[in-house]
Each structure stands twice: as C-alpha cells, then as structure tokens.
Amino acid sequence: MSRTALRICPLCEATCGLTLTVEGTRVTGARGDRDDVFSRGFICPKGAAFGAVDGDPDRLRAPLVRKDGELREATWEEAFDAVATGMRPVIERYGPNSVGVVLGNPNVHTMAGALYPPVLIAGLGTRSLFTASTVDQMPKHVSSGLLYGDANAIPVPDLDHTDHLLLIGANPLESNGSLCTAPDFPGKLKALKARGGTLSVIDPRHTRTARLADRHIAIRPGTDALLLAAMAYVLFEEELVELGALTPHVQGTEELRDAVRDFTPEAVTGACDVDAATIRALARELAAAPTAAVYGRIGSCTVQHGTLASWLVDVLNILTGNLDRPGGALFPQAATDRTPRPAGPGRGFALGRWRSRVGQHPEAKGELPLSVLAEEIDTATGAGEPVRALIAVAANPVLSAPDGDRLDKALDSLDFMVSVDPYLNETSRHAHVVLPPPPPSQSPHHDFAFNTLAVRNQVRYTRPAVPLEPGRMAETEILARLTLAVTGMHGAETAAVDDLVIGQTLGKAVKEPHTPVHGRDPKELTAQLTGESGPERWLDLMLRLGPYGDGFGVRPDGLSLAKLLEHPHGIDLGPLRPRLPQPLKTRSGTVELLPQPIADDLPRLRRALTERPDGLVLVGRRHLRSNNSWMHNIPVLTGGSNRCTLQIHPEDAERLGVRDGAAVRVKGAGGEVTAAAEVTDGVRPGVVSLPHGWGHDRPGTRLSHAATDPGVNVNQLLDGSLLDPLSGNAVLNGIPVEVTATG
Ligand code: SF4
C-alpha cells in the first residue's frame, strides 16, 4: 500500500516542498507540494527524481573500515573505535592544526550538516578548516563582512516585486538560484517580465536565462568587476547617485567617487568587450528604474577579482538607493536567526587572523582556501605541522578543488582519514573509515542556511518521511559520535553534544538584555524544550529564541517547534522588509562603502584595464539535472543536456579545425584533459566551457553508473595557484587554456 509524505527537497538551494509517494520504505514518486507556503507546487527534474536519488543502490549501507589496506564493511562500534584510535594519537602528538576538516557543499543541505560541524571544529580547536565556500561564494561573504560587518548578511534581490533585474554571472534557469533561495526562479523571472519589468543578463554564454532577457551582454570572462566599476563611475559622473533612505546609514560615498575615477566606460571597454554606450545605458537604466536589483553569482565570484565584483554588486544597489527597500535587495530574516540585537556598532569583520602554513594565504571567515589543501598536506616546509589527518564531511575535493591529481596523492599520504559520505567516491576511497549517512527520506529537514537567503520569509520543517532502516544511523548521531570520538570523549552519550550546545546557548541568552529570556533560569528554559530528539530540541530552542519566536512564553503566539509541527506545509512569515540599521555589525555601525581591504585591492583592478592575454579562456556551466558532483550516478538525471562536453564557438572551432563531437585536448596550467567538442554559438568567440564535478574514472570508487560516462575533471586544468587574494577563492572562470583538435 502506498502513502504520501512531505519532504523539503535538499537537491538545490531552492528548497521546494515535495509530496513523496512511499511504498513500504521505498520512495516511488515525488511531486511538488501545492500547499507548500513557499514553493506552491513547483518542482524541477531533480526533485522529481528524488526517489531515484534516495534509492540509489550504490549508496553505502554500513560503515567501512580499512583493514589490511582494504575498505570492508564493519559495525558502527568498530567504525567509531577506529576513528578514535586513528585520530587521537595524531592530535595528541602534532596538535589540533594537524587535523584538517573539509566540509562539502551538501552540508548546507542537511540539518546535521548545519548543526554539528561547528561543534566538531570548536571541539577540535583546529584552524585547518577548508570548505566548498572557497571554490564558490567566499567573495560574497568577504564583501558582506567588509560592507556590513557580518559575512552572512547577504542581501537578496526582491524577485517578486522588483521592476528591473540585472544578473551577472548567474544562470538561474539551470541552477534554480544560488545565494538567493527562490522556488521557481524561472517563473519569477517570467512574472517580472509579465508585469512590465526588465531583465538584463551579463554572461559570456548565451544561457537559457540570457535567452529570456531583454538585454544580453556577452562580457569577456573575468572582467565583471571592471564593468560594474564603470557603472558606478557613470552613476557619479551623471549625478545619478541617490541613496534615499539609506543616507544616514552609509559612509564613504565621496571616497568611493574618487576610487572609481579611473574606471570610465571608455577605459574598461577594451578589457570587457562591452562598448561604452552599453555600459552607460546599463547604469542609467538601473538608476531610472522605480526599483531595481543587481544580483551576481558564481561567474562573477570565481574570478580573479571575485571579491571586488561581489562588493560592486552591492555598491550599485546602494548608490541607486535599492539596498534594503522593497523591490531592491533586502536582508532576509530567518526564523532561526539569533535574537536581533539593538542597532549600533559591532565588532566588525576581520580578515587574515591567521594564515595558511605553506603559502601564507589569509583565512577568511575562519577558513583557508580549499585550493591549498594539497600543499598543506604534502609540503613539510612552512611554519607548524602539516595536515596529517583529515575529516571530510560530504566533501569530494578530488573533483571540486583545483589539481585533483595532486590532492589524490596527498590524501594517500595521510596518517588517518575519515569520510562522512553516502558514497565511495573519488575522495572517500582514500579514507580509513567511511561513515555513511542514511538517504534523505530517512532524515529530518530544516533549512538553516537557505532561509537566511530566501526571497520570502517563511519556515518549514519535515520529519523523516521513512523510518530509519535497520542498521542505519541518523546523520545527526553520526556527527555527534564523530565529534565525541575525535575530542577524547569516545563512547559518551551523544546527548552530551546536544545538551552542551543547548546549555551554552541558553546560558548566554539569559545574560543578554535584548533577549526575551534575559534573567531567567537556563534549567527552567531547558525543561520547556520539546522534540523527539536532541536535534529537534535544538531546533525548538532556536525557533523560540529567534525573531518570530515565543520567547519561552513571553510571546505566546510566537514560533516554537510544536507550533511548526501543526503546520506541515510551513508558515509564511511575509515578504522581505527593510531592516537597516539593525543587521549592521561594522565598528562604525554604518554601511562602510569603501573598506580598506577593498581600497587596497583596487590597484590590481586598475592593472587589469590593460591586461588582455591572447588566446581562449575557459568558463564553467551548470546543468538543470546536475548539482556539482552529486547527480552523475543517477541514470534518470544523466545524458541529454547533462553532458561533459567542451562548448566552443563555431569561429574558434573552424580556426582550430575542431569538429562537433570530435575529441579535443584542453590544456591549462595544471594539466590537460580530453573531451568531446560541442560546437555552438551558445558561447561567445574566444571562450570555451566545460561543466564541473565530472571525472569519475578513478579506480576504487563505487559509482557504477557515473563510471560508465565519467566525463573529465575540469579542475585538473588548474594548478591551484590562481586565487582571489581577499577571499582565497579559487579562480575557476576566465582561465587561459589551449585547445587542440585530436581527431
Ligand atoms: S528546484 Fe531545487 S529544490 Fe526545487 S525540486 Fe528542483 S532540485 Fe529540488
């Protein structure tokens, strides 16, 4: 007999509500939940394939422990014993920084991944933290940190109300949005046009999103910051700067005018391949629109000037008065945000509090660049100890970081490695212990991270759609036990981790005058928490202390877990609203428009005005039925448009003698790969494109379908040396390559 169950989709950032069909313990179907308060029934092909993703027979069912050089199935007790035995001696002998932690992108898509890694890292005390952020959005965190004093204060475009949207380096018709959580992003763009609004897209590829646009500008890759700086210049030159209600909250406008003086449209046109008149028109349209939002994403982040481009996106929103106003770009307010503190000066945002051991790269947001993980392992010289042991949680850096071949070898040299991963993949195959979390249908779900980026305030929670299979362990318990095993508390009750966090959070909250629980007894508050598990009590705590919470009885109508459970399709908390100055945590208590690290990086951007290397440059691309390296083992999501081909413009193909479908060799600073050519005018001349997350041809993995059509690892073209200096983000777009026909 079949039944239905609700589940928020974890397969991209849009967080759509799904209605699953469940037969026994198997998910046999998925459709959009029409009553979901946020997604209203929207679903994409990935969500529709939830059952196939969930039931992939290659998912590991039991832990693996390496014995006599081979990974073999073991009990959970044996696995955690092996973790404690393997990890503790390394920490005790070489110190906490000798243990690296790598967090992959799927961590932000699970409750466990949001809750436990911070406790794990704090418990270890390691500074060797690497995450997917430094091959993705770290520039945006850094620019937000510098502008607003909070690296997580990221304004999102008010898609439902804006009159004018300028997208740069973003392709939401394929990605469904990123750093902007919006179910049915494509529908929202169509609605914008239907209500008379305008859509402009800046992208070197003629993407599906670009095809929808009123104006598409095929910029030269990697020059986004120059174009945006020239738009800021025009706003000043033509006296179009109008801060409006932002005026009392912004400092540095005049300094900014001076700082962008060299970036005239005429000066940047040669580097960007965008004519000066078009740049002026873009700036004028932005200023003239009743409301407007500029939104930049991966193509403008993962470039040489990624932080400057991310900063300039916000600068344009600020100069046109569109930050923090309906129809512009606003700061969401999530239900599990901390209790809002009163507006006023904060601690500010610091970069470079420590540096990587070998390359001396500054930390950003407590992280070192993922690009330098290999050298932190395989290079003995440098201050301090190399990374000798590694904890990888939902991370596959052999494919996602530059120069996977070098990292592959480096991982083999580790004293100990543990992977928390559902698959034996290109990275976890090196582990001494693999701890597999259950499939998503067997896990609860709440989006801690994506609700802070959502285009509408709302809150939803789904309990596991299917009971935990016998022999499985909940991901929350895996991460709690892992934390205990590596911090010298192996064997303690996992509730100790939840109790510790709850106790610390409440202990702090009762001391803060602005919280609703100020002065109360933490024990009395702890006793009020509800939930079937430690993580549920944790969620209850965050909801009740949060901006919409019941404050433990102070606001009886407010949110709690019990109230949320009464609303299985979620609770709508309304449209985004202006919030300034409350979110600001800069030392001045204002938006600091020209922070010193940004000003110090502008000479590098000035040099880019005249640097124009010859030859082809490479950009990535996103496919609707893919997400990084996650989906290539799911037959229903591979093939068709989801193929690892090198897109090349017909003019370049003809010049190089490249035929459609024939093999071509692509060479970069880090190595070379051979891929099938796809001759298309979907990329501009001078640019070639390969998607990322491919290269499933290494031995020792258990990805049977992916191995049949492995594709090539685009990151092998990189040697790991190209970084955005402020954020440590890898430069993945706009990199020089040579292309040669081989057949
Ligand atoms: S858009 Fe994203 S969240 Fe929505 S169904 Fe597709 S993969 Fe899932």
Side-chain angles (χ1 to χ4, degrees):
M1 231 185 54
S2 69
R3 63 184 175 90
T4 58
L6 299 175
R7 176 63 161 84
I8 301 163
C9 180
L11 302 179
C12 88
E13 297 184 33
T15 75
C16 302
L18 303 180
T19 304
L20 305 180
T21 306
V22 181
E23 290 179 28
T25 55
R26 209 161 56 87
V27 178
T28 55
R31 62 179 197 275
D33 172 15
R34 286 205 191 91
D35 297 320
D36 184 281
V37 296
F38 193 32
S39 60
R40 303 280 176 205
F42 179 77
I43 191 169
C44 84
K46 287 199 292 290
F50 182 98
V53 174
D54 199 68
D56 183 353
D58 279 342
R59 279 180 182 273
L60 300 173
R61 294 180 171 273
L64 303 178
V65 174
R66 194 171 292 278
K67 282 184 195 137
D68 304 324
E70 274 191 34
L71 282 169
R72 298 188 188 150
E73 285 199 0
T75 65
W76 289 101
E77 295 313 317
E78 287 167 337
F80 285 108
D81 284 348
V83 171
T85 308
M87 198 63 83
R88 288 306 301 165
V90 177
I91 300 167
E92 279 155 21
R93 179 155 181 209
Y94 301 108
N97 294 338
S98 67
V99 180
V101 176
V102 186
L103 304 177
N105 160 255
N107 276 290
V108 279
H109 294 261
T110 70
M111 266 184 88
L115 292 175
Y116 291 88
V119 190
L120 170 73
I121 294 155
L124 275 171
T126 181
R127 288 181 164 181
S128 304
L129 172 64
F130 309 83
T131 84
S133 295
T134 51
V135 287
D136 190 343
Q137 83 289 358
M138 187 58 89
K140 195 72 209 175
H141 288 303
V142 171
S143 75
S144 277
L146 295 170
L147 279 163
Y148 312 122
D150 181 352
N152 290 319
I154 296 177
V156 302
D158 191 3
L159 293 184
D160 291 327
H161 304 106
T162 193
D163 297 291
H164 180 88
L165 190 62
L166 175 60
L167 305 183
I168 182 158
N171 185 11
L173 260 74
E174 302 280 359
S175 70
N176 284 312
S178 176
L179 294 188
C180 175
T181 288
D184 196 10
F185 207 128
K188 289 181 188 301
L189 295 186
K190 286 171 193 153
L192 159 72
K193 294 191 66 177
R195 65 177 178 265
T198 49
L199 173 67
S200 297
V201 171
I202 301 171
D203 199 307
R205 294 180 55 240
H206 194 224
T207 61
R208 284 178 59 216
T209 308
R211 276 180 248 152
L212 197 66
D214 300 284
R215 184 202 290 272
H216 169 224
I217 293 152
I219 192 171
R220 209 175 125 251
T223 62
D224 318 84
L226 288 171
L227 183 141
L228 296 171
M231 288 177 65
Y233 170 89
V234 173
L235 294 177
F236 281 115
E237 185 203 25
E238 301 191 4
E239 298 188 358
L240 298 172
V241 171
E242 185 57 70
L243 267 59
L246 292 172
T247 305
H249 308 306
V250 176
Q251 68 168 41
T253 314
E254 284 312 305
E255 291 84 350
L256 178 67
R257 178 198 296 269
D258 280 347
V260 297
R261 215 178 276 284
D262 294 339
F263 301 100
T264 65
E266 291 71 21
V268 308
T269 185
C272 301
D273 282 354
V274 181
D275 63 68
T278 300
I279 296 172
R280 287 182 189 279
L282 284 171
R284 288 172 191 152
E285 285 167 12
L286 192 67
T291 62
V294 186
Y295 164 71
R297 204 40 288 268
I298 195 133
S300 62
C301 263
T302 52
V303 288
Q304 298 232 29
H305 305 284
T307 301
L308 292 182
S310 298
W311 163 72
L312 283 158
V313 163
D314 284 31
V315 161
L316 291 173
N317 285 328
I318 293 164
L319 294 181
T320 52
N322 280 304
L323 181 77
D324 200 45
R325 78 167 172 191
L330 297 112
F331 298 96
Q333 178 86 83
T336 52
D337 281 350
R338 295 179 66 176
T339 318
R341 67 178 189 96
R347 281 204 209 138
F349 174 75
L351 277 170
R353 293 166 296 171
W354 59 88
R355 288 179 175 265
S356 69
R357 192 178 56 84
V358 181
Q360 293 296 300
H361 295 282
E363 64 76 36
K365 208 169 163 264
E367 300 180 23
L368 297 175
L370 188 61
S371 297
V372 306
L373 174 60
E375 72 180 26
E376 288 294 299
I377 298 171
D378 70 14
T379 308
T381 51
E385 289 293 332
V387 168
R388 295 173 184 271
L390 198 69
I391 301 170
V393 185
N396 192 359
V398 170
L399 292 192
S400 58
D403 197 353
D405 286 351
R406 180 176 178 183
L407 187 58
D408 217 20
K409 287 195 197 89
L411 295 181
D412 249 350
S413 73
L414 288 167
D415 291 358
F416 189 77
M417 176 175 167
V418 53
S419 271
V420 179
D421 208 291
Y423 288 107
L424 196 58
N425 62 25
E426 294 75 12
T427 296
S428 62
R429 73 191 176 113
H430 292 283
H432 296 83
V433 176
V434 184
L435 305 168
S441 65
Q442 297 174 30
S443 301
H445 195 81
H446 172 76
D447 283 295
F448 290 98
F450 298 127
N451 285 347
T452 69
L453 298 161
V455 296
R456 190 170 177 94
N457 295 317
Q458 40 67 44
V459 58
R460 294 163 297 154
Y461 172 64
T462 44
R463 280 182 163 161
V466 170
L468 208 54
E469 210 179 327
R472 290 278 190 192
M473 182 177 281
E475 188 178 3
T476 48
E477 188 176 346
I478 292 172
L479 291 182
R481 282 213 197 186
L482 176 63
T483 301
L484 294 168
V486 301
T487 55
M489 294 169 69
H490 178 46
E493 287 293 315
T494 53
V497 178
D498 305 314
D499 292 345
L500 177 81
V501 174
I502 289 169
Q504 283 179 345
T505 307
L506 282 172
K508 198 160 167 244
V510 297
K511 290 193 189 122
E512 292 176 331
H514 65 274
T515 73
V517 295
H518 178 57
R520 289 172 68 178
D521 176 4
K523 283 201 188 113
E524 168 245 330
L525 300 170
T526 304
Q528 289 189 37
L529 291 173
T530 65
E532 290 179 347
S533 62
E536 280 203 347
R537 291 169 64 239
W538 205 341
L539 175 61
D540 190 34
L541 168 76
M542 294 170 81
L543 291 169
R544 299 177 82 169
L545 284 181
Y548 312 91
D550 77 349
F552 287 81
V554 174
R555 297 181 293 256
D557 291 340
L559 278 180
S560 63
L561 177 66
K563 181 159 181 181
L564 191 49
L565 287 169
E566 288 167 11
H567 296 81
H569 305 283
I571 298 174
D572 181 41
L573 300 168
L576 305 186
R577 297 179 195 93
R579 290 182 56 206
L580 287 182
Q582 190 278 327
L584 301 176
K585 292 184 187 160
T586 51
R587 285 178 186 271
S588 63
T590 65
V591 177
E592 297 179 358
L593 206 46
L594 184 62
Q596 197 57 46
I598 294 281
D600 292 345
D601 200 26
L602 284 173
R604 196 171 60 93
L605 190 63
R606 267 183 214 107
R607 290 198 293 279
L609 287 167
T610 50
E611 288 166 358
R612 188 182 166 120
D614 291 336
L616 293 169
V617 290
L618 180 84
V619 298
R621 70 177 186 270
R622 181 74 183 257
H623 292 141
L624 177 59
R625 292 184 299 141
S626 190
N627 190 353
N628 303 331
S629 61
W630 311 4
M631 306 287 168
H632 299 149
N633 205 50
I634 313 299
V636 71
L637 291 175
T638 50
S641 64
N642 188 8
R643 291 189 307 129
C644 186
T645 55
L646 183 88
Q647 291 187 339
I648 183 167
H649 190 271
E651 286 172 19
D652 294 318
E654 191 179 342
R655 181 171 48 83
L656 296 167
V658 169
R659 284 179 299 108
D660 189 50
V664 282
R665 190 176 304 124
V666 190
K667 194 166 176 226
E672 61 181 51
V673 297
T674 300
E678 181 184 345
V679 179
T680 169
D681 60 5
V683 282
R684 51 159 279 172
V687 176
V688 290
S689 168
L690 262 177
H692 69 276
W694 293 86
H696 306 287
D697 53 359
R698 294 176 198 258
T701 64
R702 206 176 295 168
L703 294 162
S704 49
H705 178 71
T708 63
D709 184 13
V712 297
N713 180 8
V714 65
N715 288 332
Q716 202 50 55
L717 300 172
L718 306 162
D719 64 5
S721 65
L722 272 183
L723 302 179
D724 168 38
L726 283 176
S727 64
N729 210 92
V731 176
L732 304 173
N733 278 293
I735 58 167
V737 289
E738 285 171 26
V739 172
T740 321
T742 64

